[in-house]
Amino acid sequence: MVWENCSTTKQRQLQVLQNRAARVVLQMSQRSSTHDLHTRLNWKYLIQRRKEHLCVMVYKCINGLAPTYLDTTFLHNHMLHRYNTRQTSAPPTKLHYHIWPSHICL
């Protein structure tokens, strides 16, 4: 979550740093494929890790499992109003058109 809001340039720089670390760990050359490095080490790319961490944090916030300082990050509909917003089928609507010379009224 720390790096979620950093710029694209910083994200790219961090990924390059992770790729270099993978090459050092496996003692591979600069020309080695980053995909092969990540596969051999069973490492995820940083962008994938950021997305997964964000999804986990959202899940925890919605289900009341997050730390107390994040409790108000997401609001549930039942906190805002009492009516159900998850209807299985929308009620039929009736539209009446009245055509006037200068405009249309719905």
Side-chain angles (χ1 to χ4, degrees), residues 5-100:
N5 292 327
C6 71
S7 68
T8 305
T9 302
K10 294 294 182 193
Q11 289 179 12
R12 214 174 296 126
Q13 289 173 346
L14 285 169
Q15 187 59 59
V16 167
L17 185 62
Q18 185 193 39
N19 295 344
R20 285 183 187 164
R23 286 188 180 96
V24 169
V25 168
L26 294 175
Q27 299 176 350
M28 301 295 285
S29 71
Q30 186 68 22
R31 294 178 161 243
S32 55
S33 164
T34 58
H35 178 72
D36 292 342
L37 295 171
H38 286 265
T39 302
R40 285 183 60 188
L41 291 170
N42 199 23
W43 286 2
K44 297 177 183 174
Y45 287 94
L46 294 177
I47 190 166
Q48 184 181 2
R49 289 176 51 105
R50 281 191 296 274
K51 287 180 183 179
E52 287 176 2
H53 287 175
L54 181 60
C55 289
V56 168
M57 187 57 63
V58 169
Y59 174 84
K60 287 181 177 182
C61 288
I62 290 173
N63 292 293
L65 303 171
T68 54
Y69 67 91
L70 292 174
D71 281 344
T72 58
T73 303
F74 297 94
L75 295 177
H76 294 270
N77 283 340
H78 67 83
M79 296 176 184
L80 301 174
H81 51 72
R82 293 181 182 208
Y83 55 89
N84 183 11
T85 57
R86 299 284 179 194
Q87 296 176 351
T88 56
S89 62
T93 58
K94 294 181 182 179
L95 296 176
H96 300 284
Y97 298 97
H98 300 286
I99 299 175
W100 297 96

